[in-house]
């Protein structure tokens, strides 16, 4: 299995709508989370690149999908949450539609990293996303972030509750405790990502024919 070097992630492009995305080829893994769950910090920790997450920070402004290249075939996709107070209801609805469409139609999308604050897991935002992912039979790996904020016992308790909730779902859903600040759980996260990035590349056959 190829181990991906996540420190090699480089900014590729932003897209405000799906039509602006690059060709639906290779493998994408998307990261999403309600604002303030720590998605930027997770990206920072994974790539060891603070500039990357800064690119991704667009609070209250136009919602953009940010794409980062890991190699020629593999991309990490930063999907903004829509929890920003300053965004109007109409914009939020628009954004939800784009997000749902991306999750259901993007063929090269192999998995979704869903970042939650371990102190407030499974919010309405998270449940919506899990629902869409289940509808598209898309695999989801949940990061229960900010685990450093809880005692070991409370962390285990939340893990158990979330594990129970996701056991009911028909798609492949896994979860782990994580701390973007302390770096706890990075190895497990990379193992999940590596597994997804080592699946067959979408469009490889057509590419080889060209
Ligand atoms: P985003 O809005 O989801 O991108 O969240 P940020 O990455 O900006 O993080 C929101 C806040 O949570 C910041 O103040 C971070 O320092 C803090 N934060 C993020 N991850 C962790 C973590 O693992 N532990 C703790 N204690 N704080 C965190």
């Amino acid at each position: 299995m190829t181990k991906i070097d996540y420190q090699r992630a480089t900014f590729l492009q932003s897209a405000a709508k799906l039509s602006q995305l690059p060709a639906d080829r290779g493998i994408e893994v998307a990261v999403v989370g309600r604002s303030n769950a720590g998605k930027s910090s997770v990206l920072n920790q994974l790539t060891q690149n603070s500039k990357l997450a800064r690119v991704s920070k667009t609070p209250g402004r136009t919602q953009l999908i940010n794409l980062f290249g890991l190699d020629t075939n593999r991309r990490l996709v930063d999907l903004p949450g829509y929890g920003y107070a300053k965004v109007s209801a109409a914009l939020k609805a628009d954004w939800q539609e784009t997000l749902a469409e991306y999750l259901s139609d993007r063929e090269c999308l192999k998995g979704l990293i869903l970042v939650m604050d371990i102190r407030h897991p499974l919010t309405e935002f998270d449940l919506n996303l899990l629902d869409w992912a289940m509808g598209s039979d898309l695999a989801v790996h949940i990061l229960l972030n900010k685990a450093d904020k809880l005692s070991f016992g409370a962390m285990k308790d939340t893990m158990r509750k979330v594990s129970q909730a996701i056991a009911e779902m028909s798609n492949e859903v896994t979860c782990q405790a994580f701390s973007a600040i302390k770096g706890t759980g990075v190895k497990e996260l990379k193992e999940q990502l590596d597994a997804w990035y080592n699946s067959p590349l979408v469009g490889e056959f057509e590419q080889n024919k060209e």
Side-chain angles (χ1 to χ4, degrees):
M1 187 164 83
T2 312
K3 279 204 168 192
I4 311 286
D5 181 1
Y6 295 95
Q7 292 192 33
R8 285 183 54 191
T10 49
F11 178 72
L12 281 180
Q13 67 162 99
S14 292
K17 13 179 209 189
L18 300 183
S19 58
Q20 295 167 344
L21 288 175
D24 195 352
R25 286 185 171 175
I27 297 179
E28 279 174 6
V29 172
V31 186
V32 70
R34 192 170 182 276
S35 50
N36 217 42
K39 179 166 56 83
S40 311
S41 307
V42 168
L43 285 169
N44 265 350
Q45 180 56 250
L46 176 68
T47 62
Q48 294 291 303
N49 182 350
S50 55
K51 278 193 204 130
L52 207 83
R54 223 175 298 141
V55 171
S56 307
K57 272 265 175 226
T58 54
R61 294 195 295 116
T62 328
Q63 302 279 12
L64 290 175
I65 297 174
N66 290 303
L67 294 113
F68 303 97
L70 295 164
D71 59 32
T72 45
N73 291 312
R74 296 172 176 88
R75 294 175 297 278
L76 196 55
V77 180
D78 180 9
L79 299 172
Y82 48 83
Y84 303 121
K86 282 181 192 149
V87 178
S88 71
L91 247 180
K92 273 187 197 176
D94 248 23
W95 181 246
Q96 281 188 53
E97 208 173 294
T98 304
L99 208 52
E101 208 177 306
Y102 172 77
L103 297 183
S104 66
D105 294 358
R106 191 76 171 161
E107 277 193 42
C108 67
L109 179 63
K110 187 66 198 167
L112 187 66
I113 300 289
L114 176 53
V115 183
M116 301 180 193
D117 185 326
I118 196 165
R119 296 164 301 173
H120 316 284
L122 301 172
T123 61
E124 196 187 335
F125 172 91
D126 303 323
L127 293 172
N128 265 331
L129 273 168
L130 285 165
D131 219 37
W132 294 334
M134 189 157 43
S136 310
D137 201 25
L138 178 68
V140 182
H141 186 65
I142 297 172
L143 294 185
L144 295 169
N145 189 36
K146 309 194 188 183
D148 56 283
K149 292 271 194 186
L150 294 187
S151 68
F152 185 75
M155 187 262 281
K156 283 284 169 201
D157 203 39
T158 307
M159 277 286 286
R160 193 165 42 242
K161 280 182 190 144
V162 173
S163 299
Q164 267 168 13
I166 62 180
E168 316 266 305
M169 296 174 184
S170 57
N171 55 335
E172 185 191 321
V173 186
T174 46
C175 75
Q176 67 161 106
F178 195 85
S179 167
I181 297 285
K182 295 245 164 105
T184 324
V186 174
K187 187 166 172 270
E188 205 178 334
L189 169 62
K190 284 184 178 170
E191 278 167 8
Q192 175 63 79
L193 290 170
D194 283 351
W196 282 338
Y197 281 125
N198 275 278
S199 25
L201 301 171
V202 168
E204 191 174 35
F205 182 61
E206 292 98 292
Q207 263 171 342
N208 287 345
K209 268 198 317 194
E210 278 165 12

